[in-house]
């Protein structure tokens, strides 16, 4: 379905020299047995926009092509049987209003009135989205294929691709069992074969098939065609009316991976053997929800494969290591409701050379190479399928396939009480449990069990000194005679500084959007050290390589694994480090932004005076093999200063109090430095300019229509996470991009964009933040609410 949508939208975009190849018959594999649910609310604004567009496309496809689609907009109900699930739905409903979706919280009685077949004795609430619905996936696929053919696209079935050809880092064509095709662009929409097709091109596409189960009953009295789709996620089930019958499907907590030994060449409209024992617990719960199931006959016990990814988000975009090779697969059971929007953005991406909106959540460049490891995928997707319907707790961590990437300090942090989370495979200390407390999450939407421990870490950094292990930072070395010239064109700030200086900068696209947010340290005349976030390691490395220029005498090396990183932060950081280093750490000798080699114990490390927490401090870049020694020296000396270990939750609360931006949440490729309040990091008049300068100059002249503000809630009992609506003078004016409790400021703090006209005062008016349906008064500020003059940072 995704492939047909891409072909259809390429033709709509005026690109008709397109061939779609299907190894067997259209819809075979997965699409033919999909449930066909159309839900529009997704985790982010732009993914919701894609789902909304999908529903709108399907609504008109039959009239356009003459091909029936089975589309009906009968709405959807999501039930909550616990107060925690109801809070999730309320927060989701608030988010839906930001995104322009029609949504209402309804009572159990109202849910039953809309769906008379259900028992609501244990239901505490529900939400209803009236414009959700359902379609026949096979028919919609054929309609998209027909629309593509009508525009001149060639659609060919029973042709198997056997190889991807390439030259000089670009795709050149495909080989098939019936001949070769030369082309400039290949789009991999191969579904559960996506990893295999990616391997043909040398591109990592981590996904793995799992068995997906549903049953279809005999006709049931009362199963009217108007029944809304029903999701009962606390009981792992969804229900839809199907020609007077009920289709009951499941996303059970522990899934069954499939295809570990590959998928046979003749696999087409195949079913997998039903596992009644595996499905029975879901069915037993379903009978309590829908009593008519107890006496209804079951017409079909169905099991078929669907593909899942390591983080339950699908894969889109151009491969970082092969130009012209695009990916649209790994849809985690939401391919039908995503395919329309996916086709549109992929066509725009191919036509324009860049994504039409911020799609980082699903960007193929977020993945690491190890994630195509078959054992890793098998173990991760066993959990991932069930997480689709599990409670989507804030800070929830995957439990499977852990321990892949570890800092050399991991064991020491573990002994110190670390509770680890995982990002890009890295095990990172999120918080530290005191003696006698098990370092394990207890999830909720309120203050979780680590709240007070993280508060103590936060306060230690503000008032004394804390230690962070930031080894997961991605690190690149840029070397060569043209290193400075190349980087200065890529960076918005001026990196032509003296060796031993660090520059905070953004990398921009031609539209002025922020592609990366990082630091660049000049080591020597022809050598620079770039530090960025671990989650963007692949993305940023390839952006840098791609924009250096083919003729430039500069090259990039990923040295992430060569360095451990310790950050010593807080008012007492200078006093602590002065006792263990051979350098003068005074402001006069070691000013903010300075970076140089110093000796600690028996080791030589690079010390950079920077801070992501808004306090005096140093980041120490240590050869990996010396990391334990340096850590031991600092911790031993730190005992006299009551040095406290601190984790990433404290790092987040500290940075958000200081209004420091986080790429992927507060800033991304749709946001400019002027909108994000980062104009101070733009060197407007440096020689040679920089990528995106012309767009920024136009925006500076015209004025901005949104500004990133900081907010502090008046009610200290409420918590912010992200996507909460921002109300200004009684109307929604934006939404929170990231939030955390600010222990120094005494309330939840959020960053978020507020829309307005150029020249408006962005903080004028009365502000409220909607939290789970309730509006909470908030203070808005353009300047950081904590230490706005940077006095502590530069002490």
């Amino acid at each position: 379905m995704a492939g047909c949508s891409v072909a259809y939208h390429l033709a709509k975009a005026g690109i008709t020299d397109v061939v779609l190849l299907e190894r067997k018959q259209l819809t075979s594999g997965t699409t033919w047995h999909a449930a066909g649910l159309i839900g529009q609310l997704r985790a982010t604004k732009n993914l919701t926009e894609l789902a909304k567009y999908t529903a709108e496309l399907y609504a008109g496809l039959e009239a356009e092509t003459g091909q029936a689609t089975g589309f009906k907009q009968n709405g959807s109900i999501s039930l909550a049987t616990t107060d925690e699930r109801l809070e999730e739905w309320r927060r989701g409903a608030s988010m839906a209003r930001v995104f322009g979706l029609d949504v209402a919280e309804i009572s159990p009685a109202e849910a039953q009135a809309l769906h008379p077949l259900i028992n609501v004795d244990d239901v505490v609430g529900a939400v209803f989205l009236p414009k959700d619905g359902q379609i026949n996936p096979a028919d919609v696929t054929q309609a998209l294929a027909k629309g593509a053919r009508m525009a001149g696209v060639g659609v060919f079935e029973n042709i198997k691709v056997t190889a991807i050809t390439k030259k000089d880092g670009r795709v050149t064509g495909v080989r098939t069992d019936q001949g070769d095709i030369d082309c400039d662009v290949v789009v991999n929409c191969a579904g559960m074969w996506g990893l295999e097709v990616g391997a043909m091109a040398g591109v990592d596409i981590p996904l793995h098939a799992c068995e997906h189960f549903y049953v279809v009953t005999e006709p049931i009295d009362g199963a009217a065609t108007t029944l809304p789709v029903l999701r009962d996620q606390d009981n792992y089930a969804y229900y839809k009316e199907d020609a007077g019958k009920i289709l009951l499907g499941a996303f059970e907590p522990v899934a069954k991976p499939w295809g570990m030994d590959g998928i046979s060449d003749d696999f087409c409209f195949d079913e997998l053997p039903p596992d009644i024992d595996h499905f029975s617990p879901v069915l037993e719960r379903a009978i309590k929800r829908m009593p008519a199931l107890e006496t209804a006959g079951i017409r079909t016990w169905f099991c078929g494969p669907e593909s899942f990814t390591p983080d339950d988000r699908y894969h889109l975009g151009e491969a970082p290591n092969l130009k012209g090779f695009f990916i649209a697969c790994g849809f985690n059971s939401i391919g039908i409701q995503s395919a329309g929007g996916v086709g549109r953005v992929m066509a725009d991406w191919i036509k324009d050379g860049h994504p039409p909106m911020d799609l980082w959540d699903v960007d193929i460049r977020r993945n690491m190479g190890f994630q195509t490891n078959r054992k890793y995928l098998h173990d991760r997707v066993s959990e991932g399928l069930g997480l689709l319907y599990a409670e989507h707790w804030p800070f929830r961590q995957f439990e499977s396939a852990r321990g892949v990437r570890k800092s050399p300090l991991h064991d020491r942090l573990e002994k110190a009480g670390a509770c680890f989370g995982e990002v890009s495979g890295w095990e990172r200390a999120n918080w530290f449990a005191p003696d006698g407390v098990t370092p394990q999450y207890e999830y909720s939407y309120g203050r979780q069990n680590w709240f007070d421990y993280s508060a103590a870490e936060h306060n230690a950094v503000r008032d004394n000194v804390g230690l962070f292990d930031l080894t997961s930072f991605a690190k690149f070395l840029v070397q060569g005679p043209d290193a400075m010239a190349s980087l200065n064109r890529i960076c918005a700030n001026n990196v032509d500084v003296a060796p031993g200086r660090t520059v905070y900068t953004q990398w921009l696209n031609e539209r002025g959007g922020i592609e990366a947010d990082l630091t660049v340290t000049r080591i020597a005349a022809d050598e620079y050290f770039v530090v960025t976030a671990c989650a963007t390691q692949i993305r940023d490395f390839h952006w840098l390589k791609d924009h250096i220029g083919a003729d430039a005498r500069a090259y990039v090396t990923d040295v992430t694994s060569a360095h451990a990183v310790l950050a010593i932060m807080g008012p007492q950081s200078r006093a602590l480090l002065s006792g263990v280093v051979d350098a003068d750490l005074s402001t006069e000798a070691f000013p903010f932004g300075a970076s140089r080699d110093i000796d600690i114990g028996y080791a030589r490390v690079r010390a950079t005076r920077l801070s992501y927490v808004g306090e005096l401090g140093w980041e120490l870049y240590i050869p990996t093999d010396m990391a334990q020694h340096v850590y031991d020296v600092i911790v031993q000396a730190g005992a006299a200063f009551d040095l406290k270990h601190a984790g990433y939750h404290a790092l987040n609360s500290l940075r958000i109090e200081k209004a420091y931006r986080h790429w992927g949440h507060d800033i991304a490729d749709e946001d400019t430095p002027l909108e994000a309040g980062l104009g101070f990091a733009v060197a407007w008049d440096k020689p040679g300019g920089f990528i995106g300068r012309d767009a920024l100059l136009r925006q500076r002249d015209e004025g901005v229509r949104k500004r990133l503000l900081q907010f502090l809630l008046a009610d200290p009992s409420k918590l912010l996470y992200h996507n909460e609506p921002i109300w200004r003078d009684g109307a929604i004016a934006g939404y929170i991009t990231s939030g955390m409790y600010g222990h120094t400021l005494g309330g939840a703090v959020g960053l978020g964009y507020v829309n307005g006209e150029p020249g408006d005062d962005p903080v004028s008016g009365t502000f409220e933040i909607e939290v789970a349906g309730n509006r909470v008064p908030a203070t808005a500020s353009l300047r950081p609410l904590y230490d706005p003059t940077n006095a502590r940072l530069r002490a």
Side-chain angles (χ1 to χ4, degrees), residues 107-123:
S107 68
E110 289 171 319
Q112 191 174 49
L114 288 166
H115 203 306
L117 291 177
I118 63 173
N119 168 27
V120 294
D121 288 351
D122 62 339
V123 175

Side-chain angles (χ1 to χ4, degrees), residues 508-562:
L508 308 182
N509 55 45
E510 294 290 357
R511 304 169 305 287
I514 299 171
E515 292 285 345
D517 180 71
L518 39 76
T519 61
V520 177
T521 299
R522 193 167 198 175
I523 305 298
D526 59 353
E527 184 174 357
Y528 285 83
F529 189 57
V530 177
V531 179
T532 187
C534 74
T536 57
Q537 178 177 348
I538 300 297
R539 176 194 177 102
D540 294 350
F541 181 75
H542 285 279
W543 179 271
L544 181 56
K545 280 187 63 178
D546 291 346
H547 289 83
I548 278 183
D551 298 328
R553 296 170 299 163
Y555 57 94
V556 186
T557 308
D558 188 329
V559 294
T560 298
S561 297

Side-chain angles (χ1 to χ4, degrees), residues 316-656:
L316 288 189
E318 188 174 23
N321 59 329
L322 183 60
K323 296 304 175 188
F325 188 79
F326 287 80
I327 297 100
C329 55
F331 284 100
N332 304 281
S333 281
I334 59 167
I336 304 304
Q337 58 193 289
S338 305
V342 163
R344 190 192 76 183
V345 298
M346 290 298 291
D348 289 344
W349 201 329
I350 292 165
K351 179 181 179 182
D352 299 332
H354 60 80
M357 58 180 70
D358 172 22
L359 294 169
W360 171 239
D361 276 351
V362 292
D363 195 314
I364 189 67
R365 292 173 292 177
R366 74 187 186 278
N367 296 295
M368 302 301 299
F370 77 86
Q371 292 178 304
T372 56
N373 176 290
R374 299 285 182 147
K375 177 172 174 50
Y376 169 87
L377 286 170
H378 170 276
D379 293 350
R380 175 54 64 88
V381 300
S382 300
E383 177 188 13
L385 180 146
L387 290 180
L388 295 178
Y389 272 18
E391 192 82 56
H392 295 92
W393 301 116
F395 309 106
R396 181 157 194 162
Q397 304 295 323
F398 279 98
E399 297 176 3
S400 59
R402 293 289 298 270
V404 181
R405 305 172 81 186
K406 292 182 178 181
S407 159
L409 305 173
H410 182 89
D411 291 349
R412 281 164 168 74
L413 301 182
E414 192 170 36
K415 289 179 182 178
C419 183
F420 294 96
E422 181 256 334
V423 176
S424 298
W426 279 105
E427 295 292 322
R428 311 199 307 180
N430 281 346
W431 55 278
F432 288 83
D435 290 343
V437 174
T438 301
Q440 183 175 327
Y441 280 93
E442 296 174 12
Y443 296 117
S444 76
Y445 277 97
R447 297 184 175 187
Q448 296 184 8
N449 63 312
W450 49 266
F451 184 89
D452 290 339
Y453 311 138
S454 187
E457 298 166 22
H458 176 114
N459 293 331
V461 174
R462 286 279 182 254
D463 301 332
N464 188 40
V465 61
L467 176 153
F468 298 89
D469 178 14
L470 305 181
T471 298
S472 63
F473 278 169
K475 314 159 196 88
F476 315 137
L477 204 59
V478 185
Q479 298 169 294
D482 295 334
M484 186 280 291
S486 297
L487 273 172
N488 228 17
R489 187 176 60 83
I490 295 168
C491 297
N493 213 340
N494 190 355
V495 299
D496 187 9
V497 295
R501 295 296 300 173
T502 296
V503 178
Y504 170 60
T505 187
Q506 287 78 46
W507 294 345
L508 308 182
N509 55 45
E510 294 290 357
R511 304 169 305 287
I514 299 171
E515 292 285 345
D517 180 71
L518 39 76
T519 61
V520 177
T521 299
R522 193 167 198 175
I523 305 298
D526 59 353
E527 184 174 357
Y528 285 83
F529 189 57
V530 177
V531 179
T532 187
C534 74
T536 57
Q537 178 177 348
I538 300 297
R539 176 194 177 102
D540 294 350
F541 181 75
H542 285 279
W543 179 271
L544 181 56
K545 280 187 63 178
D546 291 346
H547 289 83
I548 278 183
D551 298 328
R553 296 170 299 163
Y555 57 94
V556 186
T557 308
D558 188 329
V559 294
T560 298
S561 297
H563 305 272
V565 184
L566 284 176
I568 311 301
M569 297 287 156
Q572 291 297 312
S573 58
R574 177 182 285 125
L576 190 162
L577 288 174
S578 293
V580 297
V581 305
D582 66 342
D584 182 353
L585 301 182
S586 67
T587 295
E588 295 75 21
F590 210 129
F592 184 80
S595 180
R596 62 191 61 156
D597 289 335
I598 62 173
D599 290 341
I600 299 180
Y602 299 131
R604 179 154 294 177
V605 307
R606 172 158 292 276
T608 302
R609 189 175 162 190
L610 287 177
S611 175
Y612 196 47
V613 300
E615 301 293 340
L616 173 70
W618 280 262
E619 294 174 357
L620 307 176
Y621 294 84
I622 311 162
T624 299
D625 51 358
M626 297 182 178
Q628 293 182 1
H629 169 66
V630 172
Y631 169 91
D632 291 343
V633 169
I634 292 172
V635 169
Q636 182 177 2
F641 293 87
D642 195 21
L643 172 69
K644 194 168 188 66
H645 287 76
Y648 273 84
H649 290 338
L651 187 76
N652 196 32
S653 62
L654 290 158
R655 73 94 185 168
I656 211 162

